[in-house]
Amino acid sequence: MSDLPNCPQCHSELTYEDGELYICPECGHEWVKDSAAAEDAEQAKRVRDAVGNLLADGDTVTVIKDLKVKGSSLVVKVGTKVKNIRLVQGDHDIDCKIDGIGAMQLKSEFVKKA
């Protein structure tokens, strides 16, 4: 008897392992072996602003601190509105274009959802 879990969608007993995944051959559903790891990965994808609001692609944010632009004498001033942000993975988790400065990346801890 197999000790693999049943499929969470169709409850089939025919699941099998493939690397870090369980796969159901009947419905094609795939899920991560360790559900706690899956929840951690989902939490890591969520990006929050300085006050805890959840950010999404296309949001408008406001800068809450003067930010020096590395390699330039330009400064992004407090209160600058940044429209149509795009979330990315990494230390600087927001891709955007700022009027007068151009394309750049920001840290979510220095912005507030507008």
Side-chain angles (χ1 to χ4, degrees):
M1 194 81 182
S2 175
D3 60 339
L4 298 176
N6 292 347
C7 175
Q9 283 192 333
C10 70
H11 306 290
S12 170
E13 298 176 356
L14 302 175
T15 58
Y16 63 92
E17 293 179 85
D18 186 20
E20 294 294 317
L21 297 174
Y22 289 124
I23 299 175
C24 176
E26 290 186 11
C27 70
H29 181 65
E30 299 178 355
W31 68 100
V32 179
K33 287 182 182 179
D34 185 11
S35 61
E39 287 180 24
D40 291 342
E42 185 66 30
Q43 284 283 38
K45 288 183 196 176
R46 295 184 181 157
V47 177
R48 297 191 178 270
D49 67 2
V51 294
N53 296 322
L54 194 60
L55 295 175
D57 287 342
D59 281 347
T60 298
V61 296
T62 305
V63 177
I64 62 168
K65 177 183 175 184
D66 282 347
L67 302 172
K68 295 179 183 176
V69 178
K70 197 172 196 176
S72 168
S73 62
L74 298 173
V75 175
V76 179
K77 297 285 187 179
V78 171
T80 302
K81 279 200 172 190
V82 182
K83 297 177 184 176
N84 199 19
I85 64 169
R86 196 181 89 206
L87 301 178
V88 294
Q89 294 296 320
D91 188 33
H92 291 73
D93 43 15
I94 297 174
D95 255 350
C96 61
K97 286 185 181 176
I98 298 178
D99 293 336
I101 295 176
M104 64 182 310
Q105 292 185 329
L106 299 172
K107 290 186 178 184
S108 58
E109 64 194 70
F110 299 121
V111 298
K112 175 175 77 170
K113 192 171 184 176

